Amino acid sequence: MVEIVKEVLELLEQYFVYIYPGFVTILTHHFAKARGTKLNKSTLGISVVVSYVYILLYKFFFKTAVSQFSNKDYVILLIVSILLPVIWHWISRSYFAEKVLNKIGFNTTLEDTVWDYIQYRDKEKKGIVLKVFLDDKDIMYEGSLRYRESDPEKEQAICLSGYRRYVKENGRYIPKQDYNNDNSRWVLINVKEITRSEIKYASEK
């Protein structure tokens, strides 16, 4: 019985290496993007694919098959599966990557949403100035973007600090609240209520 259990554990260990590196990479990537990770068939499938690619590259560079893996090999794969998404996150947020894409003719970015793109242009973390219009309520907010909920599984929202609140009266927006000089005052706005927005951020030199 002990031998059977030992063989099962060894078998699981060999197959587990085809899952955990990819899963750790996905988990790290989602953590960097402030997103949750679903435990479903899709995540499992992607984990297996990514892990298999890691193993192929590992075998190519180190000439070591999975059946010959030692504890050192498992640890190296774990470290790589954490470092690669961190490096990718840094590259995707850099102006260099954006310029390279533009240079080769891709008019796009590596960000997932427009709110990611807006917020990560704010390198000084001072808060990019936004005007967001809630036309259905005849309200407009103006302030610095400080936070956005980026997990698509959660209700999407943004936070503005040092904001002004305007109400539309007779076709004009009249200021009703002015906290422009008070960054301790934040307002949470449901993205679904935003009908349009204006963005102002420092021009690149």
Side-chain angles (χ1 to χ4, degrees), residues 25 28-29 50 54 57 77-91:
T25 292
T28 305
H29 175 70
V50 174
Y54 282 162
L57 293 174
L77 271 179
L78 178 61
I79 293 172
V80 169
S81 65
I82 294 173
L83 285 179
L84 282 184
V86 170
I87 293 171
W88 171 253
H89 180 72
W90 176 77
I91 292 174

Short mmCIF file of all heavy atoms in Angstrom, two decimals, residues 25 28-29 50 54 57 77-91:
data_model
loop_
_atom_site.label_atom_id
_atom_site.label_comp_id
_atom_site.label_asym_id
_atom_site.label_seq_id
_atom_site.Cartn_x
_atom_site.Cartn_y
_atom_site.Cartn_z
N THR A 25 2.02 32.18 -13.07
CA THR A 25 2.17 33.30 -14.01
C THR A 25 0.87 34.06 -14.17
O THR A 25 0.84 35.30 -14.12
CB THR A 25 2.64 32.77 -15.39
OG1 THR A 25 3.98 32.28 -15.27
CG2 THR A 25 2.62 33.88 -16.43
N THR A 28 0.09 35.98 -10.90
CA THR A 28 0.95 37.16 -10.75
C THR A 28 0.53 38.26 -11.70
O THR A 28 0.48 39.44 -11.34
CB THR A 28 2.43 36.79 -11.01
OG1 THR A 28 2.80 35.70 -10.15
CG2 THR A 28 3.34 37.97 -10.75
N HIS A 29 0.23 37.88 -12.95
CA HIS A 29 -0.20 38.86 -13.95
C HIS A 29 -1.50 39.54 -13.51
O HIS A 29 -1.62 40.78 -13.59
CB HIS A 29 -0.40 38.18 -15.30
CG HIS A 29 -0.96 39.06 -16.36
ND1 HIS A 29 -0.25 40.11 -16.93
CD2 HIS A 29 -2.19 39.09 -16.95
CE1 HIS A 29 -1.00 40.72 -17.83
NE2 HIS A 29 -2.17 40.12 -17.86
N VAL A 50 0.77 27.39 -20.87
CA VAL A 50 1.92 28.22 -20.46
C VAL A 50 2.99 27.35 -19.79
O VAL A 50 4.19 27.50 -20.06
CB VAL A 50 1.46 29.34 -19.50
CG1 VAL A 50 2.67 30.11 -18.96
CG2 VAL A 50 0.52 30.30 -20.21
N TYR A 54 6.93 26.71 -20.88
CA TYR A 54 8.06 26.85 -19.95
C TYR A 54 8.93 25.60 -19.95
O TYR A 54 10.17 25.67 -19.98
CB TYR A 54 7.54 27.10 -18.53
CG TYR A 54 7.07 28.50 -18.24
CD1 TYR A 54 6.26 28.76 -17.15
CD2 TYR A 54 7.44 29.57 -19.04
CE1 TYR A 54 5.83 30.05 -16.86
CE2 TYR A 54 7.02 30.85 -18.77
CZ TYR A 54 6.21 31.08 -17.68
OH TYR A 54 5.79 32.36 -17.40
N LEU A 57 11.02 25.24 -23.12
CA LEU A 57 12.16 26.16 -23.10
C LEU A 57 13.21 25.72 -22.09
O LEU A 57 14.42 25.82 -22.34
CB LEU A 57 11.67 27.59 -22.80
CG LEU A 57 10.80 28.24 -23.87
CD1 LEU A 57 10.26 29.58 -23.37
CD2 LEU A 57 11.61 28.45 -25.15
N LEU A 77 11.72 27.00 -12.01
CA LEU A 77 10.48 27.23 -12.77
C LEU A 77 9.53 28.15 -12.01
O LEU A 77 8.87 29.01 -12.62
CB LEU A 77 9.79 25.90 -13.06
CG LEU A 77 10.18 25.17 -14.34
CD1 LEU A 77 9.41 23.86 -14.47
CD2 LEU A 77 9.94 26.04 -15.56
N LEU A 78 9.45 27.98 -10.69
CA LEU A 78 8.58 28.83 -9.88
C LEU A 78 9.05 30.28 -9.94
O LEU A 78 8.23 31.20 -10.11
CB LEU A 78 8.58 28.33 -8.43
CG LEU A 78 7.74 29.16 -7.44
CD1 LEU A 78 6.28 29.17 -7.85
CD2 LEU A 78 7.92 28.62 -6.02
N ILE A 79 10.36 30.50 -9.80
CA ILE A 79 10.91 31.87 -9.85
C ILE A 79 10.65 32.51 -11.21
O ILE A 79 10.24 33.67 -11.31
CB ILE A 79 12.41 31.85 -9.53
CG1 ILE A 79 12.63 31.42 -8.07
CG2 ILE A 79 13.04 33.22 -9.79
CD1 ILE A 79 14.08 31.20 -7.71
N VAL A 80 10.88 31.73 -12.28
CA VAL A 80 10.65 32.24 -13.64
C VAL A 80 9.19 32.59 -13.85
O VAL A 80 8.86 33.63 -14.45
CB VAL A 80 11.10 31.19 -14.69
CG1 VAL A 80 10.61 31.57 -16.08
CG2 VAL A 80 12.61 31.06 -14.68
N SER A 81 8.29 31.76 -13.33
CA SER A 81 6.86 31.99 -13.52
C SER A 81 6.38 33.24 -12.79
O SER A 81 5.33 33.79 -13.12
CB SER A 81 6.07 30.77 -13.05
OG SER A 81 6.20 30.57 -11.66
N ILE A 82 7.15 33.70 -11.80
CA ILE A 82 6.82 34.95 -11.10
C ILE A 82 7.49 36.14 -11.78
O ILE A 82 6.86 37.19 -11.98
CB ILE A 82 7.26 34.88 -9.62
CG1 ILE A 82 6.45 33.82 -8.88
CG2 ILE A 82 7.10 36.24 -8.94
CD1 ILE A 82 6.93 33.56 -7.46
N LEU A 83 8.74 35.97 -12.15
CA LEU A 83 9.51 37.08 -12.72
C LEU A 83 9.00 37.52 -14.10
O LEU A 83 8.92 38.71 -14.38
CB LEU A 83 10.99 36.71 -12.82
CG LEU A 83 11.79 36.70 -11.53
CD1 LEU A 83 13.23 36.30 -11.80
CD2 LEU A 83 11.73 38.06 -10.84
N LEU A 84 8.65 36.56 -14.96
CA LEU A 84 8.25 36.91 -16.33
C LEU A 84 7.02 37.81 -16.38
O LEU A 84 7.03 38.82 -17.10
CB LEU A 84 8.03 35.64 -17.15
CG LEU A 84 9.30 34.96 -17.66
CD1 LEU A 84 8.96 33.77 -18.54
CD2 LEU A 84 10.19 35.93 -18.44
N PRO A 85 5.94 37.51 -15.66
CA PRO A 85 4.80 38.44 -15.71
C PRO A 85 5.10 39.81 -15.08
O PRO A 85 4.54 40.81 -15.50
CB PRO A 85 3.71 37.71 -14.93
CG PRO A 85 4.41 36.70 -14.11
CD PRO A 85 5.61 36.29 -14.90
N VAL A 86 6.00 39.83 -14.08
CA VAL A 86 6.40 41.12 -13.49
C VAL A 86 7.15 41.95 -14.52
O VAL A 86 6.90 43.15 -14.67
CB VAL A 86 7.28 40.89 -12.23
CG1 VAL A 86 7.89 42.21 -11.77
CG2 VAL A 86 6.46 40.26 -11.12
N ILE A 87 8.08 41.31 -15.25
CA ILE A 87 8.84 42.01 -16.29
C ILE A 87 7.90 42.47 -17.40
O ILE A 87 8.00 43.60 -17.89
CB ILE A 87 9.94 41.10 -16.85
CG1 ILE A 87 11.00 40.82 -15.78
CG2 ILE A 87 10.60 41.73 -18.08
CD1 ILE A 87 12.01 39.76 -16.16
N TRP A 88 6.97 41.58 -17.79
CA TRP A 88 6.01 41.95 -18.83
C TRP A 88 5.14 43.14 -18.40
O TRP A 88 4.86 44.04 -19.19
CB TRP A 88 5.13 40.76 -19.18
CG TRP A 88 3.97 41.11 -20.07
CD1 TRP A 88 2.65 41.20 -19.73
CD2 TRP A 88 4.05 41.46 -21.46
NE1 TRP A 88 1.90 41.58 -20.80
CE2 TRP A 88 2.73 41.74 -21.88
CE3 TRP A 88 5.10 41.56 -22.37
CZ2 TRP A 88 2.44 42.12 -23.19
CZ3 TRP A 88 4.80 41.94 -23.67
CH2 TRP A 88 3.49 42.20 -24.07
N HIS A 89 4.74 43.13 -17.14
CA HIS A 89 3.94 44.24 -16.61
C HIS A 89 4.71 45.55 -16.70
O HIS A 89 4.15 46.58 -17.09
CB HIS A 89 3.55 43.94 -15.17
CG HIS A 89 2.72 45.00 -14.52
ND1 HIS A 89 1.40 45.22 -14.84
CD2 HIS A 89 3.03 45.92 -13.57
CE1 HIS A 89 0.93 46.21 -14.12
NE2 HIS A 89 1.90 46.66 -13.34
N TRP A 90 5.99 45.51 -16.35
CA TRP A 90 6.82 46.71 -16.42
C TRP A 90 6.97 47.19 -17.86
O TRP A 90 6.88 48.38 -18.13
CB TRP A 90 8.19 46.40 -15.81
CG TRP A 90 9.14 47.56 -15.91
CD1 TRP A 90 9.16 48.69 -15.13
CD2 TRP A 90 10.20 47.71 -16.87
NE1 TRP A 90 10.17 49.52 -15.54
CE2 TRP A 90 10.82 48.95 -16.61
CE3 TRP A 90 10.68 46.92 -17.90
CZ2 TRP A 90 11.89 49.43 -17.36
CZ3 TRP A 90 11.74 47.39 -18.65
CH2 TRP A 90 12.34 48.62 -18.39
N ILE A 91 7.21 46.25 -18.78
CA ILE A 91 7.38 46.60 -20.19
C ILE A 91 6.09 47.18 -20.76
O ILE A 91 6.10 48.20 -21.47
CB ILE A 91 7.82 45.37 -21.01
CG1 ILE A 91 9.25 44.96 -20.62
CG2 ILE A 91 7.76 45.66 -22.51
CD1 ILE A 91 9.71 43.66 -21.27
#
